[in-house]
């Protein structure tokens, strides 16, 4: 296994595994790979982890990956992948001379598919066939995004039968289309491995035999003349895609010949060329396509023809999209019907505000995707059904006339247009609410700052101390961590709410969901438990004392729980000393697992502990009040700035003028 795979299974960062190797001489040595990508014996790593109280749970996918590395070359895996055929609950090789190694792989592949799903199992085989670098999956369309894109085809209704993905990758979009009712599936991909993977995945997950071809769709279309009801695609954006090889008379370029920097607009026109009149194309493209100067004429032609119907900004830093550093958009296009009127408006949607501060700050795993998908689906349905008023939601979506977009830049970026289309009454209400919250937050901060003043100077204290580990041995505390599930495949009803390390580090409510099996292994949080993140940023919260809102939920990933004996230790007293941890050297700069065990706690009478605990609690409340005040200031600034810029708010007659301000340049002196 690679270090990255080890980190995912154990629930730590890749840097933590790297530090284990550097700081622990007994960490298992590499058994293969390269200097920069070493491969380790998983059994040896599991034994090393077990000696340190961490559980390296066995899982079918790592077992399959290990078997592939030890028994098949990448070329052999490519041949096997291309020749796989469904057979009962698994697959068989088309090669009549199946070796013992291939037989073992097929058996393990079937087991992994049964536990983790066929797509995950086949993906592991495809990764190995592609050289083991896993770059085959760099451009996968995430399941949540693929589902939304397929749902946006709803206006076609029963007319959704034939679907094409000209850059099909592993087939996730074709699977999503089949789940929406499509029965004729066509795909093409430049990679033989991807094409073989897509063919197998679509068959395994939908029962449909897709027509999958290999080749470059833009320069060697495998389906010339094919008309489909819909095109779903997440094509690879390329800076130089050999545009000079294009034929000038190619009928696909009816909206303009795409240039060297405009491969995305070539994919847009390729999709439109394959649609029947009235058919829909839903494409995942970089956000720069909406404003890049070189594409202005093509964007203008798409608008004038009524071919572009919607541009939807996706949340930045969404975890499912972290395979790319680009901000992404969904474009919805419709093949013009010569017998219908040309549409005169476009729907623009910006999901970034709906994603909230988590998306803006980079805490992508805190983004609540279902409400975002529901909003996009709702406003699109209203727009395409002619209910434009319902399609416009403040700070989320707006319907813009085509003529208003046809300026010198033809910039289709939704954000600025959406912000200018806000409702003044709603903004005024939001401003009043935000200002009220700010006043309350400032009052709470003032109260908390007065409370922490109740301390006095003493001579340097000399205490007898014991480590958390020693206290645990004596029964004064218990240290618990959640056990990873044996399987990652779960139904929603199998999942339990859980608190994660990021929740504690960011001061957020519990946001995780975990599957605990068997139920007896569940670690449930109790009131008074000290919750400590195993990984935190340099200014992150170092602990949380569980209250009624956390009681009864499960312990999630990257959290350690310290449960004190209330007759011997005050939880706030213990938490305060844990909050002073600054030694992460043992397991890396962001890991504090070992530092927690080494933390020394003074051995004081319970009554004295409680006095210290109360002081620590007040300091904790001060930090929380400051954090809340800072968040409220950001909200007030955003609401007021947006309202002033959009013309929904104006300064009152009595507000200060520039002449009244001592530093008119702004900033500070």
């Amino acid at each position: 296994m690679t270090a990255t795979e080890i980190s995912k299974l154990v629930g730590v960062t890749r840097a933590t595994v790297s530090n284990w190797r550097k700081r622990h001489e007994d960490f298992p040595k590499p058994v293969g790979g390269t200097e920069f990508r070493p491969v380790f014996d998983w059994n040896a790593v599991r034994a090393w982890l077990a000696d340190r109280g961490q559980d390296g749970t066995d899982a079918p996918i790592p077992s399959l990956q290990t078997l592939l590395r030890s028994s098949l070359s990448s070329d052999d895996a490519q041949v096997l992948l291309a020749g796989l055929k469904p057979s009962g609950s698994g697959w068989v090789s088309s090669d009549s001379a199946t070796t013992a190694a291939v037989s073992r792989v097929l058996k393990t592949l079937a087991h992994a598919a049964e536990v983790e799903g066929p797509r995950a199992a086949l993906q592991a085989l495809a990764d190995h066939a592609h050289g083991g670098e896993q770059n085959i999956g760099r451009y996968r369309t995430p399941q949540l995004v693929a589902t939304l894109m397929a749902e946006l085809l709803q206006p076609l209704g029963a007319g959704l039968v034939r679907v094409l993905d000209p850059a099909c990758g592993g087939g996730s979009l074709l699977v999503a289309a089949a789940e929406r009712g499509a029965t004729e599936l066509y795909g093409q991909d430049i990679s033989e491995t991807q094409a073989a993977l897509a063919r197998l995945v679509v068959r395994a997950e939908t029962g449909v035999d897709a027509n999958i071809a290999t080749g470059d769709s833009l320069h060697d279309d495998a389906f010339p003349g094919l008309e489909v009801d819909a095109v779903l695609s997440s094509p690879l954006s390329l800076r130089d895609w050999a545009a000079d090889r294009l034929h000038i008379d190619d009928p696909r370029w009816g909206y303009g010949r795409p240039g060297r920097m405009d491969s995305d607009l070539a994919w847009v026109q390729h999709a439109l060329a394959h649609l029947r009149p009235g058919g829909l194309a839903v494409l995942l493209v970089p956000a720069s396509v909406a404003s890049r100067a070189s594409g202005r004429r093509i964007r203008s032609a798409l608008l004038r023809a009524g071919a572009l119907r919607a541009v939807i900004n996706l949340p930045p830093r969404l975890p499912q999209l972290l395979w790319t550093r680009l901000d992404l958009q969904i474009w919805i296009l419709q093949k013009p019907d010569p017998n219908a009127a040309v549409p005169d408006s476009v729907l623009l949607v910006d999901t970034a505000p709906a994603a909230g501060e988590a998306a803006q700050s980079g805490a992508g795993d805190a983004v609540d995707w279902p409400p975002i998908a529901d909003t996009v689906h709702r406003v699109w349905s209203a727009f395409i059904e002619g209910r434009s008023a319902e399609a416009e939601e403040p700070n989320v979506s707006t319907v813009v006339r085509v003529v208003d977009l046809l300026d010198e830049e033809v910039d289709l970026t939704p954000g600025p247009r959406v912000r200018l289309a806000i409702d003044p009454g709603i903004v005024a209400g939001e401003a009043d609410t935000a200002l009220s919250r700010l006043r309350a937050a400032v009052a709470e901060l003032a109260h908390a700052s007065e409370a922490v003043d109740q301390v006095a100077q003493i001579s340097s204290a000399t205490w007898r101390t014991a480590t958390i580990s020693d206290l645990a041995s004596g029964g004064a505390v218990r240290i618990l961590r959640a056990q990873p599930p044996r399987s990652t495949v779960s139904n929603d009803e199998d999942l339990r709410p859980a608190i994660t390390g990021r929740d504690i580090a960011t001061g957020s409510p519990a946001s995780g969901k975990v599957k605990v099996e068997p139920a007896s292994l569940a670690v449930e949080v109790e009131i008074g438990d000290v919750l400590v993140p195993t990984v935190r940023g340099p200014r992150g919260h170092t602990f949380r004392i569980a209250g009624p809102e956390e009681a009864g939920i499960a312990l999630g990933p990257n959290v350690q729980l310290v449960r004190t004996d209330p007759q011997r230790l005050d939880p706030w007293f213990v938490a305060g000393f844990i909050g002073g941890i600054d030694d992460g050297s043992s397991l890396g700069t962001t890991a504090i697992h070992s530092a927690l065990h080494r933390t020394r706690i003074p051995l004081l009478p319970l009554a004295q502990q409680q006095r210290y605990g109360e002081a620590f609690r007040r300091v904790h409340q001060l930090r929380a009040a400051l954090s809340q005040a800072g968040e409220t200031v950001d909200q007030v600034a955003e609401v007021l700035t947006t309202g002033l810029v959009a013309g929904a708010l104006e300064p009152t007659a009595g507000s200060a003028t520039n002449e009244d301000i001592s530093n008119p340049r702004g900033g500070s002196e």
Side-chain angles (χ1 to χ4, degrees), residues 5-12 20 42 49 54-56 481 484:
E5 291 164 348
I6 293 171
S7 69
K8 290 179 180 178
L9 281 177
V10 181
V12 298
W20 287 346
W42 176 228
L49 290 169
Q54 297 200 49
D55 179 30
R481 292 188 69 184

Side-chain angles (χ1 to χ4, degrees), residues 212-289:
I212 308 292
T214 302
D216 185 337
S217 292
L218 293 181
H219 295 289
D220 187 17
D221 189 359
F223 306 105
L226 174 68
E227 282 195 349
V228 296
D229 305 308
V231 174
L232 278 180
S233 194
S234 175
L236 176 62
S237 180
L238 298 172
R239 290 192 173 184
D240 190 350
W241 55 286
D244 55 332
R245 290 170 45 198
L246 297 179
H247 295 291
I248 297 178
D249 59 348
D250 193 319
R252 290 178 296 176
W253 318 135
Y255 301 92
R257 190 171 185 268
R260 183 175 64 88
M261 300 292 291
D262 297 317
S263 65
D264 309 287
L265 291 173
W267 286 112
V268 164
Q269 296 189 75
H270 180 82
L272 284 167
H274 275 289
L275 289 175
R276 62 165 173 80
L280 292 175
V282 181
L283 304 183
L284 188 65
V285 298
S288 60
V289 181

Side-chain angles (χ1 to χ4, degrees), residues 78-125:
Q78 175 68 58
V79 172
L80 176 60
L81 182 70
L84 282 184
K85 294 181 179 179
S87 174
S89 60
W91 293 272
V92 296
S93 172
S94 60
D95 188 350
S96 58
T98 301
T99 64
V102 169
S103 296
R104 289 195 300 272
V105 168
L106 291 175
K107 182 178 179 180
T108 306
L109 181 69
H111 175 62
E114 181 180 0
V115 176
E116 303 285 357
R119 187 181 309 195
L122 290 166
Q123 186 69 61
L125 176 59

Side-chain angles (χ1 to χ4, degrees), residues 230-571:
V231 174
L232 278 180
S233 194
S234 175
L236 176 62
S237 180
L238 298 172
R239 290 192 173 184
D240 190 350
W241 55 286
D244 55 332
R245 290 170 45 198
L246 297 179
H247 295 291
I248 297 178
D249 59 348
D250 193 319
R252 290 178 296 176
W253 318 135
Y255 301 92
R257 190 171 185 268
R260 183 175 64 88
M261 300 292 291
D262 297 317
S263 65
D264 309 287
L265 291 173
W267 286 112
V268 164
Q269 296 189 75
H270 180 82
L272 284 167
H274 275 289
L275 289 175
R276 62 165 173 80
L280 292 175
V282 181
L283 304 183
L284 188 65
V285 298
S288 60
V289 181
S291 58
R292 190 184 300 131
S294 59
R296 179 179 61 83
R297 291 187 178 181
I298 295 179
R299 292 196 299 272
S300 177
L302 292 169
L303 289 170
R304 293 178 188 277
L308 181 61
R309 305 311 320 278
V311 176
I312 303 164
N313 263 353
L314 292 180
R317 302 183 182 93
L318 189 68
Q320 291 82 9
L321 298 175
L322 290 182
W323 47 261
T324 175
R325 296 180 180 179
L326 302 174
D327 289 336
L328 297 175
Q329 294 175 343
I330 292 176
W331 279 31
I332 307 179
L333 304 111
Q334 188 168 34
K335 181 70 167 285
D337 186 342
N339 299 318
V342 177
D344 63 354
S345 60
V346 175
L347 175 68
L348 301 181
V349 183
D350 185 12
T351 65
E357 296 179 2
Q360 303 298 331
S361 66
D365 58 358
V367 174
D368 192 2
W369 175 256
I372 294 172
D374 290 344
T375 298
V376 171
H377 189 268
R378 181 175 62 255
V379 298
W380 164 245
S381 297
F383 171 74
I384 201 66
E385 293 170 6
R387 296 178 282 113
S388 295
E390 297 178 32
E392 294 192 321
E393 297 193 5
N395 214 31
V396 173
S397 61
T398 185
V399 177
V400 183
R401 294 187 307 163
V402 167
V403 67
D404 293 332
L405 294 169
L406 295 174
D407 54 18
E408 292 184 0
E409 297 180 349
V410 195
D411 190 341
L412 307 180
T413 305
R417 301 273 180 177
V418 168
R419 286 191 290 274
L420 290 174
I422 58 180
D423 186 309
I426 293 177
V427 173
E430 291 178 346
D432 288 342
T433 301
L435 288 169
S436 296
R437 289 175 178 170
L438 177 59
R439 296 185 191 99
V442 170
E444 178 63 26
L445 179 60
H447 176 73
S449 63
E450 293 173 358
V452 296
D453 195 31
Q454 300 176 21
V455 292
Q457 180 180 348
I458 61 172
S459 301
S460 180
T462 301
W463 295 317
R464 289 191 308 115
T465 63
T467 65
I468 290 281
S469 181
D470 291 337
L471 292 172
S473 298
V477 300
R478 293 179 62 197
I479 303 176
L480 303 172
R481 292 188 69 184
Q483 296 296 320
R486 297 182 181 276
S487 169
T488 59
V489 178
S490 302
N491 298 320
D492 289 343
E493 56 268 20
D494 295 333
L495 300 177
R496 299 185 53 186
I499 188 165
T500 68
R502 185 179 290 277
D503 295 333
I504 301 168
T506 60
S508 305
S511 65
K513 289 184 180 294
V514 297
K515 178 182 180 182
V516 183
E517 55 178 7
S520 59
L521 294 180
V523 178
E524 292 188 351
V525 178
E526 298 178 1
I527 293 177
D529 286 343
V530 184
L531 305 174
V532 185
T534 59
V535 180
R536 60 180 169 91
R539 299 186 64 184
H541 296 256
T542 54
F543 68 85
R544 180 184 301 183
I545 301 292
E549 60 274 14
E550 287 91 11
I553 66 174
L555 199 64
N558 301 322
V559 184
Q560 297 170 101
L561 182 153
V562 178
R563 182 169 294 162
T564 64
D565 179 349
Q567 303 301 317
R568 301 167 65 182
L569 289 172
D570 178 74

